[in-house]
Amino acid sequence: MAARLSLNDVNLHFGGVKVLQEVGFEVEPGSILGLVGPNGAGKTSLFNCISGHYQPSSGSITIDGTEAIRRSPAHLARLGLSRTFQHPALQLRATVLENVLLGGHIRLPGGPLEWALGLPRTARAEREIRAEALAMLDGAGLGWAAGLPADELSHGLHKGIELWRALLSRPSLLLLDEPAAGLSHGEVEQLITTVKQVRDERDITIIVVEHHMGLISALTDRVVVLDHGRKLMEGTAAEAQSDPRVIEAYIGKDAADDAA
Ligand SMILES: Nc1ncnc2c1ncn2[C@@H]1O[C@H](COP(=O)(O)OP(=O)(O)OP(=O)(O)O)[C@@H](O)[C@H]1O
Ligand SMILES: [Mg+2]
Protein backbone atom coordinates (compact mmCIF):
# COMPACT_ATOMS: atom_id res chain seq x y z
CA MET A 1 0.00 0.00 0.00
CA ALA A 2 1.32 3.43 -0.96
CA ALA A 3 2.14 5.49 2.13
CA ARG A 4 0.71 8.82 3.25
CA LEU A 5 3.38 11.20 4.54
CA SER A 6 2.57 14.19 6.74
CA LEU A 7 5.07 16.78 7.92
CA ASN A 8 4.12 19.33 10.54
CA ASP A 9 6.18 22.25 11.76
CA VAL A 10 9.52 20.47 11.23
CA ASN A 11 12.53 22.36 12.57
CA LEU A 12 16.16 21.27 12.27
CA HIS A 13 18.93 23.24 13.97
CA PHE A 14 22.66 22.52 14.05
CA GLY A 15 24.00 24.71 16.86
CA GLY A 16 22.79 28.17 15.90
CA VAL A 17 22.21 27.26 12.24
CA LYS A 18 18.54 26.91 11.36
CA VAL A 19 18.58 24.40 8.49
CA LEU A 20 14.80 23.79 8.41
CA GLN A 21 12.11 26.06 9.84
CA GLU A 22 8.43 25.25 10.29
CA VAL A 23 8.27 22.96 7.27
CA GLY A 24 4.90 21.28 6.75
CA PHE A 25 3.16 19.52 3.87
CA GLU A 26 1.23 16.35 2.99
CA VAL A 27 2.02 13.75 0.34
CA GLU A 28 -1.01 11.81 -0.90
CA PRO A 29 -0.67 8.02 -1.22
CA GLY A 30 0.36 7.03 -4.76
CA SER A 31 1.37 10.55 -5.81
CA ILE A 32 4.74 11.95 -6.86
CA LEU A 33 5.85 15.10 -5.07
CA GLY A 34 8.74 17.22 -6.33
CA LEU A 35 10.92 18.90 -3.69
CA VAL A 36 12.81 21.76 -5.30
CA GLY A 37 14.78 24.84 -4.30
CA PRO A 38 18.20 26.46 -4.70
CA ASN A 39 21.44 24.84 -3.49
CA GLY A 40 21.55 24.76 0.30
CA ALA A 41 17.78 25.20 0.66
CA GLY A 42 17.56 22.15 2.94
CA LYS A 43 16.18 19.49 0.57
CA THR A 44 18.66 16.73 1.45
CA SER A 45 18.43 17.66 5.14
CA LEU A 46 14.66 17.23 4.95
CA PHE A 47 15.12 13.78 3.33
CA ASN A 48 17.55 12.93 6.14
CA CYS A 49 14.88 13.89 8.69
CA ILE A 50 12.23 11.73 6.96
CA SER A 51 14.58 8.72 6.67
CA GLY A 52 15.83 8.88 10.28
CA HIS A 53 19.39 9.96 9.42
CA TYR A 54 18.82 13.36 11.11
CA GLN A 55 16.69 14.02 14.19
CA PRO A 56 14.63 17.23 13.84
CA SER A 57 14.80 19.65 16.78
CA SER A 58 10.98 19.70 16.87
CA GLY A 59 7.90 18.93 14.81
CA SER A 60 6.22 15.81 13.56
CA ILE A 61 6.71 13.51 10.56
CA THR A 62 4.21 10.67 10.20
CA ILE A 63 4.14 7.78 7.76
CA ASP A 64 0.59 6.37 7.61
CA GLY A 65 -0.05 7.98 10.98
CA THR A 66 3.05 6.49 12.69
CA GLU A 67 5.47 9.05 14.10
CA ALA A 68 8.81 8.69 12.26
CA ILE A 69 10.87 11.09 14.37
CA ARG A 70 13.32 9.40 16.76
CA ARG A 71 13.11 6.11 14.81
CA SER A 72 16.27 4.64 13.30
CA PRO A 73 16.75 4.38 9.52
CA ALA A 74 16.47 0.58 9.88
CA HIS A 75 13.15 0.87 11.71
CA LEU A 76 11.78 3.26 9.06
CA ALA A 77 12.92 0.90 6.30
CA ARG A 78 10.80 -1.80 7.92
CA LEU A 79 7.86 0.64 7.84
CA GLY A 80 8.28 0.77 4.03
CA LEU A 81 10.65 3.69 3.48
CA SER A 82 13.47 3.47 0.95
CA ARG A 83 15.74 6.14 -0.53
CA THR A 84 18.59 6.93 -2.85
CA PHE A 85 21.40 9.33 -2.01
CA GLN A 86 22.57 12.50 -3.76
CA HIS A 87 26.01 10.89 -4.05
CA PRO A 88 25.51 7.17 -4.83
CA ALA A 89 26.51 5.09 -1.80
CA LEU A 90 27.60 1.82 -3.43
CA GLN A 91 29.96 -1.00 -2.48
CA LEU A 92 32.29 -0.36 -5.40
CA ARG A 93 34.22 -3.65 -5.17
CA ALA A 94 31.03 -5.74 -4.95
CA THR A 95 29.19 -6.71 -8.11
CA VAL A 96 26.23 -4.84 -9.52
CA LEU A 97 23.92 -7.71 -8.49
CA GLU A 98 25.34 -7.80 -4.94
CA ASN A 99 24.73 -4.05 -4.63
CA VAL A 100 21.13 -4.38 -5.81
CA LEU A 101 20.56 -7.36 -3.48
CA LEU A 102 21.37 -5.22 -0.43
CA GLY A 103 17.94 -3.66 -0.93
CA GLY A 104 16.22 -7.04 -0.64
CA HIS A 105 17.65 -7.87 2.77
CA ILE A 106 14.75 -6.22 4.53
CA ARG A 107 12.36 -8.76 2.96
CA LEU A 108 14.03 -11.82 4.49
CA PRO A 109 11.76 -13.50 7.06
CA GLY A 110 12.98 -13.98 10.65
CA GLY A 111 16.11 -12.43 12.15
CA PRO A 112 19.92 -12.71 11.99
CA LEU A 113 20.01 -16.02 13.89
CA GLU A 114 17.58 -17.64 11.47
CA TRP A 115 19.49 -16.22 8.47
CA ALA A 116 22.77 -17.64 9.84
CA LEU A 117 21.18 -21.08 10.20
CA GLY A 118 20.23 -21.05 6.51
CA LEU A 119 16.72 -22.44 7.10
CA PRO A 120 14.72 -23.52 4.04
CA ARG A 121 12.35 -20.53 4.19
CA THR A 122 15.34 -18.15 4.31
CA ALA A 123 16.96 -19.90 1.33
CA ARG A 124 13.65 -19.80 -0.60
CA ALA A 125 13.19 -16.06 0.08
CA GLU A 126 16.81 -15.41 -0.97
CA ARG A 127 16.25 -17.25 -4.27
CA GLU A 128 13.07 -15.24 -4.96
CA ILE A 129 14.74 -11.91 -4.19
CA ARG A 130 17.76 -12.81 -6.35
CA ALA A 131 15.50 -13.79 -9.27
CA GLU A 132 13.59 -10.52 -8.92
CA ALA A 133 16.84 -8.50 -8.84
CA LEU A 134 18.11 -10.24 -11.99
CA ALA A 135 14.74 -9.68 -13.71
CA MET A 136 14.87 -5.96 -12.83
CA LEU A 137 18.42 -5.66 -14.19
CA ASP A 138 17.41 -7.55 -17.35
CA GLY A 139 14.34 -5.35 -17.77
CA ALA A 140 16.56 -2.27 -17.54
CA GLY A 141 18.93 -3.71 -20.17
CA LEU A 142 21.61 -4.18 -17.49
CA GLY A 143 21.63 -7.98 -17.34
CA TRP A 144 25.11 -7.99 -18.92
CA ALA A 145 26.48 -5.98 -15.97
CA ALA A 146 25.10 -8.11 -13.11
CA GLY A 147 28.41 -9.89 -12.43
CA LEU A 148 30.73 -6.91 -12.93
CA PRO A 149 32.26 -4.97 -10.02
CA ALA A 150 30.25 -1.76 -9.60
CA ASP A 151 33.36 0.41 -9.99
CA GLU A 152 33.68 -0.68 -13.63
CA LEU A 153 30.39 1.04 -14.51
CA SER A 154 29.63 4.65 -15.41
CA HIS A 155 28.15 7.28 -13.09
CA GLY A 156 24.81 6.96 -14.92
CA LEU A 157 24.68 3.23 -14.22
CA HIS A 158 25.60 3.82 -10.55
CA LYS A 159 22.47 5.99 -10.29
CA GLY A 160 20.49 3.14 -11.87
CA ILE A 161 21.87 0.57 -9.40
CA GLU A 162 20.80 2.80 -6.50
CA LEU A 163 17.27 3.00 -7.90
CA TRP A 164 16.96 -0.77 -8.42
CA ARG A 165 18.39 -1.41 -4.95
CA ALA A 166 15.83 0.96 -3.41
CA LEU A 167 12.99 -0.71 -5.35
CA LEU A 168 14.01 -4.25 -4.41
CA SER A 169 12.91 -3.54 -0.83
CA ARG A 170 9.37 -3.01 -2.25
CA PRO A 171 8.92 0.36 -0.54
CA SER A 172 5.61 2.11 0.04
CA LEU A 173 7.48 5.45 0.25
CA LEU A 174 10.49 6.17 -1.98
CA LEU A 175 12.75 9.23 -1.65
CA LEU A 176 14.94 10.05 -4.67
CA ASP A 177 17.67 12.66 -4.08
CA GLU A 178 18.75 14.20 -7.42
CA PRO A 179 18.39 11.00 -9.49
CA ALA A 180 19.19 12.91 -12.70
CA ALA A 181 22.37 14.65 -11.48
CA GLY A 182 25.22 14.03 -13.91
CA LEU A 183 23.07 12.05 -16.36
CA SER A 184 23.12 12.65 -20.12
CA HIS A 185 19.97 13.90 -21.89
CA GLY A 186 19.17 10.36 -23.07
CA GLU A 187 19.71 8.91 -19.59
CA VAL A 188 17.32 11.50 -18.09
CA GLU A 189 14.64 10.53 -20.64
CA GLN A 190 15.15 6.87 -19.71
CA LEU A 191 14.90 7.74 -16.00
CA ILE A 192 11.59 9.59 -16.55
CA THR A 193 10.18 6.54 -18.38
CA THR A 194 11.37 4.22 -15.60
CA VAL A 195 9.89 6.28 -12.77
CA LYS A 196 6.55 6.58 -14.62
CA GLN A 197 6.53 2.81 -15.06
CA VAL A 198 7.32 2.31 -11.37
CA ARG A 199 4.43 4.61 -10.40
CA ASP A 200 2.01 2.86 -12.77
CA GLU A 201 2.96 -0.70 -11.81
CA ARG A 202 3.53 -0.37 -8.06
CA ASP A 203 1.48 1.03 -5.22
CA ILE A 204 4.04 3.60 -4.15
CA THR A 205 4.41 7.22 -3.02
CA ILE A 206 7.48 9.03 -4.36
CA ILE A 207 9.25 12.27 -3.40
CA VAL A 208 11.89 13.43 -5.83
CA VAL A 209 14.46 16.18 -5.20
CA GLU A 210 15.73 17.53 -8.51
CA HIS A 211 17.17 20.65 -10.12
CA HIS A 212 16.19 19.30 -13.57
CA MET A 213 12.88 21.13 -14.13
CA GLY A 214 12.04 19.04 -17.21
CA LEU A 215 12.04 15.94 -15.02
CA ILE A 216 10.01 17.70 -12.30
CA SER A 217 7.40 18.83 -14.86
CA ALA A 218 7.21 15.38 -16.46
CA LEU A 219 6.87 13.38 -13.25
CA THR A 220 5.29 15.29 -10.41
CA ASP A 221 1.69 15.83 -9.34
CA ARG A 222 2.70 18.65 -6.99
CA VAL A 223 5.85 20.42 -5.89
CA VAL A 224 7.02 21.98 -2.65
CA VAL A 225 9.60 24.74 -3.01
CA LEU A 226 12.11 25.21 -0.18
CA ASP A 227 14.28 28.28 0.25
CA HIS A 228 16.64 28.95 3.17
CA GLY A 229 15.04 26.06 5.08
CA ARG A 230 11.47 27.37 4.76
CA LYS A 231 8.60 26.27 2.54
CA LEU A 232 8.26 29.06 -0.02
CA MET A 233 5.20 27.71 -1.85
CA GLU A 234 3.37 24.57 -2.85
CA GLY A 235 1.48 23.86 -6.10
CA THR A 236 1.89 22.28 -9.52
CA ALA A 237 5.25 22.38 -11.31
CA ALA A 238 3.83 24.97 -13.74
CA GLU A 239 2.59 27.17 -10.86
CA ALA A 240 6.01 26.95 -9.18
CA GLN A 241 7.89 27.87 -12.33
CA SER A 242 5.82 31.01 -12.88
CA ASP A 243 5.68 32.08 -9.20
CA PRO A 244 7.63 35.37 -8.73
CA ARG A 245 8.82 34.25 -5.26
CA VAL A 246 10.34 31.10 -6.76
CA ILE A 247 11.97 32.99 -9.64
CA GLU A 248 13.42 35.43 -7.10
CA ALA A 249 14.75 32.61 -4.91
CA TYR A 250 16.55 31.06 -7.87
CA ILE A 251 17.97 34.14 -9.59
CA GLY A 252 17.96 36.82 -6.87
CA LYS A 253 15.63 39.80 -6.38
CA ASP A 254 17.45 42.30 -8.60
CA ALA A 255 17.57 39.91 -11.55
CA ALA A 256 13.90 38.98 -11.00
CA ASP A 257 12.96 42.69 -11.06
CA ASP A 258 14.98 43.19 -14.25
CA ALA A 259 13.24 40.22 -15.86
CA ALA A 260 9.76 41.54 -14.92
N1 LIG B 1 25.19 17.80 9.41
C1 LIG B 1 25.14 19.12 9.18
N2 LIG B 1 25.75 19.99 10.03
C2 LIG B 1 25.70 21.32 9.82
N3 LIG B 1 25.06 21.90 8.78
C3 LIG B 1 24.44 21.09 7.91
C4 LIG B 1 24.43 19.66 8.07
N4 LIG B 1 23.72 19.11 7.05
C5 LIG B 1 23.31 20.14 6.29
N5 LIG B 1 23.74 21.32 6.81
C6 LIG B 1 23.48 22.66 6.25
O1 LIG B 1 22.14 22.75 5.91
C7 LIG B 1 21.95 23.56 4.76
C8 LIG B 1 21.11 22.82 3.75
O2 LIG B 1 21.89 21.78 3.15
P1 LIG B 1 21.23 20.65 2.25
O3 LIG B 1 22.33 19.73 1.85
O4 LIG B 1 20.07 20.09 2.95
O5 LIG B 1 20.75 21.51 1.01
P2 LIG B 1 20.14 21.03 -0.39
O6 LIG B 1 18.87 21.80 -0.59
O7 LIG B 1 20.08 19.55 -0.45
O8 LIG B 1 21.24 21.59 -1.42
P3 LIG B 1 21.76 20.97 -2.83
O9 LIG B 1 20.74 21.35 -3.86
O10 LIG B 1 23.06 21.71 -3.05
O11 LIG B 1 21.95 19.51 -2.65
C9 LIG B 1 23.35 23.91 4.25
O12 LIG B 1 23.66 25.21 4.70
C10 LIG B 1 24.23 22.89 4.93
O13 LIG B 1 25.52 23.37 5.14
MG1 LIG C 1 20.97 18.12 -1.58
Side-chain angles (χ1 to χ4, degrees), residues 81-246:
L81 188 146
S82 190
R83 68 174 292 185
T84 64
F85 291 86
Q86 187 165 350
H87 305 289
L90 299 179
Q91 306 286 326
L92 289 176
R93 297 230 182 97
T95 67
V96 169
L97 178 62
E98 285 163 345
N99 272 282
V100 174
L101 283 172
L102 288 174
H105 199 253
I106 196 96
R107 287 168 48 192
L108 287 178
L113 180 61
E114 196 173 317
W115 304 335
L117 290 172
L119 296 181
R121 76 165 181 160
T122 311
R124 193 163 52 241
E126 274 175 344
R127 276 197 304 276
E128 275 171 27
I129 292 166
R130 192 183 174 85
E132 192 175 314
L134 282 168
M136 284 197 326
L137 288 172
D138 271 340
L142 286 177
W144 58 271
L148 294 180
D151 66 359
E152 289 187 15
L153 301 192
S154 67
H155 170 75
L157 293 178
H158 285 173
K159 295 290 242 188
I161 295 168
E162 273 230 306
L163 179 60
W164 299 121
R165 180 174 63 190
L167 286 170
L168 194 65
S169 69
R170 294 200 182 152
S172 55
L173 175 61
L174 176 64
L175 312 180
L176 303 175
D177 196 350
E178 299 202 22
L183 298 193
S184 68
H185 178 74
E187 287 171 331
V188 174
E189 291 303 313
Q190 179 59 49
L191 174 68
I192 291 172
T193 307
T194 303
V195 177
K196 279 185 177 164
Q197 201 178 342
V198 167
R199 179 199 50 198
D200 293 345
E201 292 175 0
R202 295 169 182 245
D203 202 11
I204 190 169
T205 306
I206 301 174
I207 310 183
V208 55
V209 164
E210 216 7 285
H211 290 288
H212 191 295
M213 284 314 286
L215 179 143
I216 290 291
S217 298
L219 284 180
T220 62
D221 301 297
R222 294 185 70 69
V223 303
V224 165
V225 184
L226 281 187
D227 183 36
H228 290 105
R230 287 182 180 275
K231 185 172 89 172
L232 195 58
M233 64 86 67
E234 185 176 347
T236 64
E239 284 164 357
Q241 278 173 289
S242 59
D243 189 308
R245 292 167 299 176
V246 178

Side-chain angles (χ1 to χ4, degrees), residues 24-88:
F25 56 85
E26 292 266 325
V27 192
E28 292 294 317
S31 68
I32 303 185
L33 180 95
L35 184 60
V36 304
N39 293 117
K43 305 177 297 295
T44 297
S45 298
L46 187 58
F47 267 13
N48 286 339
C49 290
I50 299 170
S51 65
H53 291 87
Y54 284 176
Q55 294 304 326
S57 319
S58 61
S60 161
I61 298 175
T62 63
I63 300 174
D64 289 329
T66 300
E67 182 58 60
I69 290 181
R70 277 173 283 283
R71 307 261 189 194
S72 68
H75 186 108
L76 294 168
R78 285 195 293 277
L79 285 182
L81 188 146
S82 190
R83 68 174 292 185
T84 64
F85 291 86
Q86 187 165 350
H87 305 289

